Every structure is written in structure tokens, then in C-alpha cells.
Amino acid sequence: MQSLLNVKKDFPVLENNQDLVYLDTGATALKPKVVIDKINEYYNEYGVNVNRGVYTLSYKATTEYEETRTMCAKFLNALEKEIVFTKGASNGLNMVALGFGMDYIEEGDEIISSELEHHSNILPWMEVAKKKKATLKYIPLDSTGRISVDAFKKVLTKKTKVLAITYVSNVMGYISPLEEIIKIAHENNVIVVVDAAQAVAHMKIDVKALDCDFLCFSAHKMMGPTGFGILYGKYKYLKKMSPVEYGGDMIDIVEKDSCIAKDAPYKFETGTPPVAEAIAFKEAIKYIEAIGYDKIKEHVDELTRYALTKLSKIPGIKIYNPTTEVGIITFNVIKAHPHDVATIFDEHHIALRAGHHCAQLITKWLECVGTLRACIYIYNDYSDIDKFVEALEEAVKYFEEW
Amino acid sequence: MPNNIADLYNQVINEHRKYPRNKGLIEGYKTLHLKNPSCGDDVTVQMKIENGVIVDVRHDGSGCVICCSSASVMSEVLKGKTVEEASQIIDDFYELIKGNMPKDEDRLEDAIVYLNIHNFPPRAKCATLAWRAAGALLVDDEGEDADE
């Protein structure tokens, strides 16, 4: 056993639930105390609105708030004006499809996505395709359920206008070969929209190196607050993209029969935002960068290897993704429905997700009603994996004897 | 295994899982299809009501043990009851799921085996799905195909 990160103590939920084994990071990551403290700091010390008042406290709140944009730009290697604040990945992906795609896609065009996507990166494009009489196509997955460059080339045609693709699958834990796919997409004038919701907790994202046109993620999956997220877009596209919501704050000049919106990114940000969440997100970025993505990967890889070795010795279960790359293990007890097994895990205070994980297409591809998903992250340790494996062995035995 | 689990998957529930009663649909009956979208439980319930009496109950679908066994138990308990009796039993069942023992527990017959569900709050929606469909069929004369 190699030495792992020792960060459990940073997470109040784990302090307050001593026997909890948290394996549901794919749904949301736990928040370190620094993030929670920053939320409280805003409400306790300067809890006023942003971008409005000229008084000192409002200036303080606005400064803290806009610092998040600066920090996000640096975090992603983007420009500040390319960072749009959203309610989360789903919100951002919808903004791109409905605000950009709806204008950009024309009748007869083709949009490519994949069966590995979370619903949030398919359904908005399904809606665009329906309204604009375009076609939604899927990259055929290989026998392990992965997206390959060759498979993408097979569905790419002269009519392809947009590729909406996940960076990391929330069910299979595979990393898509995006650099090469994006290069080929751009050679064919295809706009690429990346869902980085799962990726951002596990890998450094450099939007310049990746060269994606849009990229969305939620703060809460990388230990930041819920209800807040980032949409990155190349500025030339953000300039063209229409807002989906209109109202206060996003507008420059309003006349009786016309209005002029602010420039991006502000034209996409109407209404009072989740100020505390936006401000506290800085602490999540600082926290994750202080640990370092290389250390996170080492920790997650080691525990995943440890878990998979133990799981491989349990008969009566099926692992759907033994080659997972980011600590997401998707499995079933062969003889039992995933929800029946989830209750047994719950009795052992092991939190993991059962069901289709908002990705029904991959569940269908796996030909099952649903799956169990254990997600390993920095606050897990060997003991968590031992308890998880022990509970799973009991579940198998229990349902075996039926 | 924690003791609670044995309380949840007791012998009667296991019996109905293995040998579901009144399973399979019949053409011409009043039909209602309900789902628990978050977990994929999917149940269709049918009833034949003549002169205010439920002469037949059928069910079909897929889901976890709690959901499927509960559909089977429901079909047995409600079959042969008047619409009025059935409505009262369904109300009693909802109370039971909340952890309240109904005044007349005999009336629930085998459905009493779900008395421990209130210790597993996330599973209440599994246990009640088929009963919600049955309740809706009793109040709705036409029957319809509606998803939650």
C-alpha cells in the first residue's frame, strides 16, 4: 500500500458522520471547510448584492465575486471575458444549445453526440434538432463502451455542424480522446461543446490546449458550492450567442421598443446570482490546486486499483467498466435489482448511487435496468474500500440465498 | 447482515417476489401505468370492477423487490373487495408506510408485512407505486395511461 492523501479531516460532513463511507462523489463532491467558511464569511460580513450598489459593502461583495471570474479564467487558461457564470453544467449546456445552437443549426444539418452523455448534453440538442429539422447522431461506442476517434470519424459528414461530447463519462469513468477528436472536428468546421462536469474533479482542464469551443461544468462536483457553475466559450462565439434569459443586469440600454444587451459574458447573467456560492468557489479552486491534480490522480488510481482487485474476487457481481480511469466503478449484483442492493449499502452507512445516473442511453447500452455506482475521491481511504467490499459481499450472499 | 434488512425482505415479501400473484395483463380492463422515474420502477395495474366490486386485479412491470412484491400483495388484498373497502385499505396502507399502525390491522391482510418500510424512507415510493395506481383506478372511471 502506498501513502495516500490524508484530507478526511478537511470535510465537516465526514467529521459529523464518523461512520459514513461516501462513494457518491459523481453526484456531488463533499465540501471542504474552507469553502463552507467562505460562504459564511459572505453572509456574515458583507452579504449584499453585487454589481448594483456604490456603497462600500457592495463594492466588497462585487470585488470578491468578480475575483472568481479572474480565478476561473486562470484555472482554465481562458480570458476573463470567456467565463460565464451559470447555475451549473446543465444550465450552461442548455445555454449553448438554445442560445447558440438554435441560431446556428439549420434544416438538414447534423449534430453528433454519444450514448455516454449525461441527459444534459443530449436533450437540449434533441430539442434543437427537432425545432430546426436537423438530425441528431450518436458516435457508436466500442465493445467496452468507449468513444474512439475512428468511431467519431465514421459519423462525421459534410453536414455535421456541432459535436456535443462528454470529457469523462459519469457512468463508465472513461476519458474521451478529445484532443484528437476536436482537431478533426475543427478541420471539418464542426463546433465542439464539452461537458466537463465529471472531468473537472479529476483532471487539469486547459481550454486553449484542448481547443474546445464551449465547455461547461458545475462547481459542486469539484468540492465547490451547489447552484453555481461555469460556461467557457471562445469569445468569438460568445459574441454571436444569444442570451436565453433577459432582464436586469444583462442589459446596457433599454428603450420602449428595443434594448441593447451588455457584452459577453454579462449578457448571459441576469438576475441576482448565487453570490455566496460564486465567491466561495474560489476556495474550491484554491483547495484543489493546493492538493494538485497529479496527487488526486495518484490517490484515486491507487484506491481504484485496490478496490478492483478486491472486487474481482467476488463472484456474483458484474463490473461494467473494469478499465475505468477516474475512480468511477459501475456494477451490479447479478441476482438483485440495484435499488435492493443500495438499501443494504445504506444500512452499512455507505452512500452510493443506484439507478440510471441521468444517463439512460448508456444504461440501455449496458442492457440493464440500472446500475450501482461507487465513486472514489480524495477523502476516501483503504478502510472505506474495505467496508464497501465487505457490505457488497454480504449483499451478494444475502441475495444468493434467496 | 444488519437485522433491519431481514425485517425489510421478510418471508412473505420473498414469497411474492418468487411467485407473484395475478401477474400479466388482460385486454379490456381499466389500466393505469405508473413509474418512479428516478429509479426505474415501472408498474401497470389493471382492475375489473362490476357492481362496485373489484372482481379482478392484474399487474405487470419491472423494478426492485419491494415494488414488484408490493404489486402482487396489493392484487391479492384488493381482489374481491368493494370499491369502498379497497379505498379504505389503500388509505390504511399509506398510513402503515408512514409508520402508523392502522386501527384495523387485520383488514390489511398480507400488506401488513410492509410495516418496516418506514425505517427505510427512500423505499416508501417503491412500496406504494402499485397502490397509487390502484387508488387512481378506483377514483377514475375511465382509466388512463399516465406517468408520474
Side-chain angles (χ1 to χ4, degrees):
Chain A
M1 289 189 196
Q2 69 186 65
S3 72
L4 298 175
L5 293 168
N6 182 17
V7 296
K8 258 194 165 143
K9 59 185 186 317
D10 296 344
F11 294 84
V13 167
L14 296 175
E15 289 290 304
N16 294 323
N17 298 273
Q18 285 288 333
D19 58 352
L20 173 66
V21 175
Y22 189 72
L23 295 172
D24 200 18
T25 297
T28 197
L30 299 178
K31 321 308 171 204
K33 188 164 182 297
V34 284
V35 169
I36 299 164
D37 287 347
K38 191 72 180 178
I39 290 175
N40 289 331
E41 176 195 295
Y42 164 74
Y43 284 117
N44 283 322
E45 295 176 25
Y46 48 90
V48 302
N49 215 331
V50 290
N51 304 332
R52 286 162 175 79
V54 288
Y55 49 92
T56 309
L57 277 190
S58 177
Y59 180 75
K60 164 77 174 162
T62 305
T63 305
E64 287 276 354
Y65 178 78
E66 281 300 324
E67 273 174 13
T68 298
R69 203 180 309 271
T70 311
M71 195 178 278
C72 284
K74 208 175 280 175
F75 179 60
L76 296 175
N77 192 21
L79 305 172
E80 280 176 41
K81 62 183 182 181
E82 294 174 320
I83 302 296
V84 182
F85 289 171
T86 68
K87 289 181 271 189
S90 296
N91 182 220
L93 293 166
N94 271 275
M95 284 163 71
V96 176
L98 305 177
F100 180 83
M102 207 57 103
D103 293 334
Y104 185 71
I105 295 290
E106 290 170 3
E107 185 170 342
D109 286 348
E110 291 177 358
I111 300 158
I112 296 178
S113 190
S114 85
E115 287 157 281
L116 274 185
E117 304 306 310
H118 187 281
H119 295 158
S120 297
N121 205 25
I122 297 178
L123 301 188
W125 291 104
M126 204 181 268
E127 190 61 18
V128 171
K130 202 168 77 186
K131 289 233 167 86
K132 304 304 289 266
K133 298 197 172 76
T135 309
L136 181 59
K137 293 167 81 173
Y138 295 92
I139 302 170
L141 303 178
D142 74 9
S143 60
T144 61
R146 281 172 190 274
I147 292 171
S148 70
V149 177
D150 281 343
F152 167 63
K153 283 189 198 159
K154 277 188 193 134
V155 284
L156 181 68
T157 73
K158 287 201 162 56
K159 294 179 189 166
T160 309
K161 286 288 167 62
V162 166
L163 167 66
I165 188 167
T166 189
Y167 205 157
V168 169
S169 158
N170 73 321
V171 175
M172 304 300 271
Y174 299 150
I175 301 169
S176 306
L178 281 193
E179 288 196 19
E180 206 175 334
I181 285 179
I182 290 172
K183 195 165 156 275
I184 295 164
H186 285 164
E187 284 165 9
N188 291 274
N189 299 314
V190 173
I191 303 270
V192 182
V193 185
V194 175
D195 172 4
Q198 292 295 327
V200 73
H202 293 278
M203 49 207 278
K204 179 75 193 156
I205 294 174
D206 180 331
V207 292
K208 289 278 178 303
L210 201 57
D211 200 26
C212 54
D213 301 300
F214 295 99
L215 180 139
C216 300
F217 63 89
S218 303
H220 73 95
K221 303 255 202 232
M222 55 173 283
M223 303 180 280
T226 55
F228 183 71
I230 299 297
L231 154 61
Y232 156 81
K234 282 182 181 163
Y235 196 66
K236 59 177 174 178
Y237 295 128
L238 288 183
K239 258 165 65 178
K240 279 191 204 166
M241 181 165 133
S242 307
V244 175
E245 292 182 349
Y246 293 80
D249 234 20
M250 53 78 67
I251 208 75
D252 231 356
I253 296 165
V254 179
E255 303 292 350
K256 274 184 172 171
D257 53 4
S258 68
C259 64
I260 298 171
K262 284 182 180 165
D263 289 334
Y266 301 103
K267 67 174 172 179
F268 303 110
E269 299 174 4
T270 188
T272 294
V275 181
E277 286 78 359
I279 288 172
F281 182 45
K282 281 183 289 192
E283 299 305 318
I285 296 177
K286 283 187 215 162
Y287 185 81
I288 217 166
E289 291 199 316
I291 292 174
Y293 279 105
D294 49 342
K295 287 280 184 302
I296 293 174
K297 182 172 161 48
E298 265 176 38
H299 178 99
V300 171
D301 282 357
E302 165 58 16
L303 282 185
T304 308
R305 183 201 60 74
Y306 181 74
L308 285 171
T309 307
K310 286 197 150 199
L311 292 177
S312 69
K313 291 173 189 143
I314 305 179
I317 64 167
K318 181 168 173 60
I319 309 255
Y320 295 99
N321 59 342
T323 57
T324 177
E325 290 169 271
V326 297
I328 294 174
I329 300 173
T330 290
F331 64 101
N332 264 325
V333 172
I334 291 165
K335 283 202 158 181
H337 190 281
H339 275 86
D340 290 312
V341 183
T343 290
I344 290 181
F345 281 120
D346 190 29
E347 285 298 297
H348 287 269
H349 308 285
I350 296 168
L352 49 70
R353 190 156 172 200
H356 52 60
H357 319 291
C358 300
Q360 289 185 21
L361 296 183
I362 189 66
T363 307
K364 287 188 177 116
W365 188 88
L366 292 170
E367 296 177 337
C368 56
V369 292
T371 52
L372 292 150
R373 180 185 69 176
C375 299
I376 296 164
Y377 204 47
I378 56 170
Y379 32 67
N380 295 120
D381 56 18
Y382 290 115
S383 151
D384 286 345
I385 305 299
D386 291 341
K387 288 178 195 162
F388 161 64
V389 170
E390 212 171 289
L392 179 56
E393 281 171 330
E394 281 189 29
V396 170
K397 194 159 164 280
Y398 185 75
F399 291 109
E400 196 69 39
E401 284 166 1
W402 274 31
Chain B
M1 184 61 51
N3 283 335
N4 284 341
I5 292 295
D7 293 343
L8 181 66
Y9 298 107
N10 57 49
Q11 206 173 348
V12 175
I13 289 175
N14 205 2
E15 271 287 306
H16 280 268
R17 173 188 71 85
K18 273 190 191 156
Y19 311 108
R21 324 293 202 277
N22 304 308
K23 191 163 179 178
L25 303 181
I26 290 174
E27 203 149 320
Y29 281 17
K30 277 172 67 175
T31 303
L32 187 61
H33 175 211
L34 286 184
K35 286 185 200 174
N36 282 327
S38 64
C39 64
D41 287 340
D42 184 313
V43 162
T44 301
V45 173
Q46 292 186 314
M47 276 187 186
K48 189 180 187 194
I49 301 173
E50 283 174 355
N51 306 319
V53 177
I54 302 166
V55 295
D56 200 8
V57 183
R58 307 292 298 181
H59 65 93
D60 208 352
S62 60
C64 64
V65 171
I66 299 301
C67 172
C68 293
S69 64
S70 177
S72 172
V73 170
M74 178 278 296
S75 70
E76 269 209 330
V77 174
L78 298 190
K79 202 164 156 177
K81 303 290 188 301
T82 66
V83 169
E84 201 177 324
E85 285 166 343
S87 300
Q88 285 165 358
I89 293 169
I90 291 169
D91 288 345
D92 285 354
F93 186 72
Y94 291 150
E95 284 304 308
L96 182 81
I97 296 301
K98 287 185 220 156
N100 305 325
M101 193 54 85
K103 272 181 228 144
D104 184 357
E105 51 187 275
D106 291 344
R107 192 161 70 179
L108 276 170
E109 299 173 25
D110 269 0
I112 200 79
V113 299
Y114 294 92
L115 86 169
N116 287 314
I117 290 282
H118 72 273
N119 294 322
F120 304 84
R123 306 303 296 278
K125 66 183 194 324
C126 314
T128 51
L129 186 63
W131 295 76
R132 284 200 293 117
L137 283 173
L138 291 180
V139 294
D140 171 37
D141 284 340
E142 299 301 319
E144 59 177 334
D145 196 66
D147 294 336
E148 186 181 64

